[in-house]
Every structure is written in structure tokens, then in C-alpha cells.
Amino acid sequence: MHLVRALALLLIGFGTAPAHADWRVAETNHFVVYANTSESVLRRYAERLEKFDKALRLVRGVAETPVSKAGRVTVYFVSQDRVASLAGSADIAGFYEARAGGSVAFVPGDAANDGPLSLNAQQVLQHEYAHHFMFSSWPGTAFPTWFSEGWAEFHATATFDREGTLRFGDAPAYRAYGLLTGDPLPIQQILAGAAGKLRPEQREALYGRGWALVHYLSFEPSRAGQLDAYLKAITIERKSPEAAAAVFGDLGALHRELERFLVKPKIAGFRVRTDLLAIPPVTVRTLSPGQAAMMPVIVRSRSGVNGKTAPGVYADAVKIAAGYPDDPAVQRALAEAAYDAKDYPAARAAADRALVADPQFVEALCYRAMALMAIAQAAKDEKPETWAEIRRTISRANRLDTEDPRPLILYFQSYAERGQMPPKMARDGLGHAYQLAPEDRGLRLQVAAMLIADGEPEIARSMLLALTYDPHASGLGEAASKLIDTIDAKKINAQPTPVPAK
């Protein structure tokens, strides 16, 4: 189909899935997927997602490495209205949060139409997971906004045919507005790096044109190698995105080429055969009555709360948890809600109840340690025995899962947050946590600051550079830029004074 004609058919509406009474969870090598849907539908979603991960590794040359339980991405399928509520914006169709040991994605389970011209749950999820894959696979590369979003859009439209082959390269029909409205963003601004404050129509154009640029520069023979050269210029040569764009030559010519690309009758792509996408069996189970009742609280907690919303979430958690005192998942969720609402004694008590029911519950151990630290800090308790108990709890969690980054982070914080220099074991542990979860932006900033203090500013600088262009880094990008400026200033000041030639 003619590309522009296909995009113009975006008026097709969203499909909806029937309501179901039972919450279920599916587990794969890389994902934990929760949904209030039938077993067959949930299994299908999880299998497609795991196959999508495998295809990404095959086509991008990323080796398959074992992922710990904590390294998996947890996906929550909720209603479109709930996604908008959690995100705080009706314009957001789904979102992903990168967190060490707890990366999560929230996508609409009621946007399930598989029609090629409608934004559906699979496309939203593939877009969000593409971000996770990018940040975790190439943690040292700086990705400007247009590339980050365009790359995610390129993979979002991957579709399975009836034989199970996965096809990449389709146009994002749901981005028709950004592709067909006369380009409200000049190409110079698109290539300028961070998104900044854009109007909705400009952001839509950034996503759509970002997809077009990634697609065109990937498949157009005359542009071969330019994308790699552009990213290397930013990451290795430390050029600004504007300066790095010189690899594309005349930007006006590139703009005209894109316009011609958008009216082509066919566009390039590639396929991954079904026989290359074999995955281990997906396990699906129905949640316990208590965990199912607590799911609305869990979803709200995991999406992030603040000083205004935490008390309400906590109040709901208390009511529900009262009926399930012996359910470890329920009590862990109560511990999280209590901790977020700053009721630290209640958080500890809930974590303890979870551990009575399941002594090997790593997350419950982490919340117990966090609550104990908060209680000690509030009381200005510096007694050695208090902190010894805290670190015993953390060490117990670490022994249960040495590849979970959260106990490693907590061990470092048990010194740093008291103004003490963490010992080498704690610093090495924090570095290992970053290796396990390079997608966590806050952890990256924390490790970079540690490296600067340890006299390794160049390693820290390369880690920070990626944050400065990350559209999802928020204030962390600004903090990273300031640290880079500090590193560069010290490097300049450390240069020896030139000696005049004789």
C-alpha cells in the first residue's frame, strides 16, 4: 500500500478486549507479565514479547545472557484510562520506568486490536521494551531524542504473520499526524539533541520524523554508515548533536529525500523466520485471592507515588491487607505502600509478616532494611548494633540472589546516607549493581559520582554523557551535564603550562 495513503487511514478506531475476572501472571526468561485477562490471551502476549526480545538480539547482534529474576521487566496490562491516570496525561498510551531490580512497563490491555493501522497494546509494549533493550545493551552510547524515539518506533511496528515470522520495518500508522502535517519541526531542530519543551504537535512530529530518519538512514544505500558515524561522533568524539549532524551532509537535501521516501509505494524491511524464534515454555498462573485484590494498589505503587498520592494508596493497602495477613505478596505490597507513605514502623511490620510466610522473599528483606534505615535515621540512632542488624538483613537478601542489584545498592547507601565513606566492598557492590542494571538512570548518576570521588573522572564522564541526551532522564540529565562541566574544568586546569620554544 502507498505509504502516505496507508497513514491517512488512521481514523480506524481502537479495538477493545472483553473484561475478565481473574488476574494472572505469565513468566518468561525476560518478562513478568500481569493482566486481568484469560490464560490464552496472556500467554499469547508473553510469548510474543519473549520472541520479540529474541528477534532484537538476533538482528542487533546482542548475545543472549542469563537474566536474574530481578533483571526481568515487569509488565502490567491495565485499561487505557488507567495508563493515562498513572502517567498523569491523557496523551500517553503507555510508559516504561527503568529501575534497578524493578523495571516496569504499563500498557493498555483494552487497546488490543491487531489491525495494522491502529495503535495496539503490542505496539505500545514493543516501543517501551525497545527503550529498555537500547539502554541496557549499549549503556555507554549517547542517544539523542530523535534517534531514541525513532529507534523505538521502528521496532514498535514489528508484526507476526500467521506462520509466526516477525517482520520489521512497517510504518507507524498511528504517527500519521507527525508525518503528514507539513513537518512542524525543521530537520535541524529534530537533529539538535534533547527534546526540550515541545508542543504536542511538535513532539508528535519528533516521533514520526524520528522513525522516518532511522528507517531511511538504515536502508538507503547512499546513506550507509552515517547513523553509526553520527552516534560515534557524539559518544566518542564528544561532539554536540548539531556538530555530529555534519555526517549527513546538506540537511536540506536529507529533508527532501525524506519527503520522497514517504511517498514511495513500498518501503524496505526485514523478517526473522519463526524457526529462529524458539523460546522456552511460558508459565502462567492465576494470582491468589489476596494478591488479586491487592493488584490495584500494586499497580499504583509500582507506577510511582508522591507526597499527595502515597497516603491514599497506603489507606487502600491497609484495608485490603487486613484480610490476608499470611499472604507474603500482599504483605510485601503493604510494606511498599507504608514505606512510600513514610509509616516506617508499619513497613517493617508488614515486611516481617511477609518473611514469616516466605523467608526467602528478597523484596521483603529489602523493604525491611529500608524501613529499619529510615527509622534509625529519624531517631538519629548511630548505635553499631542497629546498623549491624540492618546490614545483616541486606546481606541475607544478597545471599539469596547475588544478581539482584537492590541489596548491593542498599549496602552502599547504609554508609553513604550517613555521611560515611563506603568501604571498598560496598563501592565494588555498587559498581556491580550498575553492571546488572545499566538502564537505571539514577544508579548511573550515583556510580558516576562515586567514580569521580575515586579518581576515575574519565570513566564517569563517559557514563554521564548518555544521560545528557536521554529524553527520559528529566532532571538527571541536567545534573549529569553539570558534573561533566566540572570534570572538563578540572581537566583543563590540570594541563601543564606551555613552555615557549627557544
Side-chain angles (χ1 to χ4, degrees):
M1 180 182 288
H2 194 291
L3 178 57
V4 172
R5 191 180 307 127
L7 293 171
L9 295 176
L10 187 62
L11 294 176
I12 291 180
F14 283 61
T16 57
H20 296 271
D22 295 322
W23 274 95
R24 293 180 171 86
V25 59
E27 297 188 54
T28 72
N29 282 354
H30 298 92
F31 305 94
V32 180
V33 187
Y34 290 91
N36 185 12
T37 189
S38 68
E39 180 177 345
S40 60
V41 169
L42 180 56
R43 187 180 299 279
R44 177 167 169 264
Y45 275 142
E47 286 176 346
R48 283 188 169 189
L49 195 51
E50 188 66 24
K51 289 180 178 181
F52 178 69
D53 171 87
K54 186 159 189 175
L56 280 178
R57 294 179 189 280
L58 287 172
V59 302
R60 298 302 176 186
V62 176
E64 177 68 68
T65 54
V67 176
S68 69
K69 288 185 177 181
R72 297 180 296 179
V73 176
T74 298
V75 180
Y76 295 96
F77 279 99
V78 294
S79 70
Q80 178 63 65
D81 288 344
R82 173 58 68 186
V83 170
S85 174
L86 296 172
S89 172
D91 297 326
I92 295 178
F95 63 99
Y96 157 77
E97 295 285 347
R99 300 170 188 160
S103 290
V104 292
F106 300 87
V107 292
D110 56 353
N113 181 13
D114 286 328
L117 302 179
S118 297
L119 177 62
N120 58 55
Q122 194 72 22
Q123 291 166 335
V124 173
L125 189 49
Q126 287 172 176
H127 176 106
E128 299 305 332
Y129 185 67
H131 280 311
H132 176 86
F133 189 89
M134 169 188 282
F135 299 143
S136 57
S137 299
W138 301 286
T141 304
F143 297 109
T145 302
W146 73 267
F147 182 85
S148 175
E149 298 300 347
W151 198 84
E153 287 293 86
F154 177 88
H155 295 91
T157 61
T159 57
F160 290 89
D161 64 19
R162 292 181 178 178
E163 288 72 40
T165 294
L166 187 57
R167 183 179 72 248
F168 290 93
D170 289 351
Y174 48 86
R175 298 293 180 196
Y177 181 78
L179 285 164
L180 302 176
T181 53
D183 191 15
L185 273 180
I187 193 167
Q188 292 83 356
Q189 188 174 350
I190 291 174
L191 296 173
K197 294 183 178 180
L198 299 178
R199 299 190 304 274
E201 67 273 15
Q202 291 178 319
R203 181 165 291 279
E204 184 70 16
L206 182 70
Y207 278 60
R209 293 283 162 158
W211 166 82
L213 278 165
V214 168
H215 193 294
Y216 182 73
L217 294 170
S218 296
F219 290 101
E220 170 55 38
S222 66
R223 297 281 179 175
Q226 289 187 353
L227 266 181
D228 285 343
Y230 172 76
L231 295 174
K232 287 178 181 178
I234 295 173
T235 303
I236 298 175
E237 300 171 27
R238 300 178 180 175
K239 292 183 179 179
S240 68
E242 295 91 335
V247 304
F248 301 127
D250 183 350
L251 296 185
L254 177 58
H255 172 74
R256 291 189 292 274
E257 289 174 33
L258 279 182
E259 294 301 304
R260 291 194 292 271
F261 161 71
L262 289 174
V263 297
K264 278 188 172 184
K266 292 183 179 180
I267 57 175
F270 54 84
R271 297 172 182 268
V272 182
R273 300 192 317 268
T274 184
D275 59 294
L276 299 175
L277 298 177
I279 60 170
V282 173
T283 62
V284 179
R285 63 178 174 84
T286 301
L287 299 188
S288 68
Q291 191 175 4
M294 189 64 93
M295 280 306 295
V297 166
I298 293 172
V299 167
R300 288 154 67 195
S301 291
R302 288 299 167 99
S303 68
V305 295
N306 54 38
K308 291 183 178 180
T309 59
V313 174
Y314 178 36
D316 289 344
V318 169
K319 294 176 184 177
I320 297 168
Y324 306 95
D326 301 322
D327 188 316
V330 170
Q331 295 302 316
R332 187 222 58 80
L334 176 60
E336 180 177 6
Y339 183 86
D340 290 340
K342 304 187 186 308
D343 188 345
Y344 303 123
R348 176 193 175 173
D352 284 341
R353 287 192 294 273
L355 291 167
V356 169
D358 183 357
Q360 297 187 327
F361 203 158
V362 173
E363 280 189 296
L365 285 165
C366 289
Y367 273 103
R368 182 178 195 273
M370 292 162 60
L372 288 172
M373 277 198 285
I375 291 168
Q377 289 170 331
K380 298 183 179 179
D381 183 353
E382 295 295 332
K383 293 192 293 290
E385 57 268 29
T386 297
W387 290 92
E389 181 185 358
I390 291 169
R391 294 190 182 111
R392 278 196 300 271
T393 300
I394 296 170
S395 296
R396 182 179 161 192
N398 176 244
R399 287 194 299 272
L400 287 170
D401 188 351
T402 58
E403 299 303 289
D404 189 325
R406 290 168 292 190
L408 300 172
I409 296 169
L410 287 174
Y411 189 68
F412 181 89
Q413 291 175 343
S414 73
Y415 292 96
E417 292 187 3
R418 297 170 65 203
Q420 299 177 344
M421 170 61 75
K424 186 177 186 303
M425 179 184 294
R427 299 201 305 276
D428 290 346
L430 190 70
H432 185 54
Y434 172 72
Q435 293 174 349
L436 294 169
E439 66 276 8
D440 187 310
R441 301 168 184 91
L443 176 58
R444 177 187 289 259
L445 189 65
Q446 189 175 18
V447 173
M450 180 186 72
L451 289 171
I452 293 172
D454 284 351
E456 299 185 80
E458 288 303 309
I459 299 176
R461 191 188 193 285
S462 65
M463 292 174 60
L464 292 166
L465 187 61
L467 282 178
T468 62
Y469 299 117
D470 185 348
H472 304 278
S474 187
L476 295 179
E478 184 178 347
S481 295
K482 290 180 180 178
L483 281 175
I484 288 175
D485 291 341
T486 300
I487 292 170
D488 291 346
K490 289 183 177 179
K491 185 176 181 180
I492 292 172
N493 293 335
Q495 294 296 321
T497 303
V499 178
K502 293 183 179 179

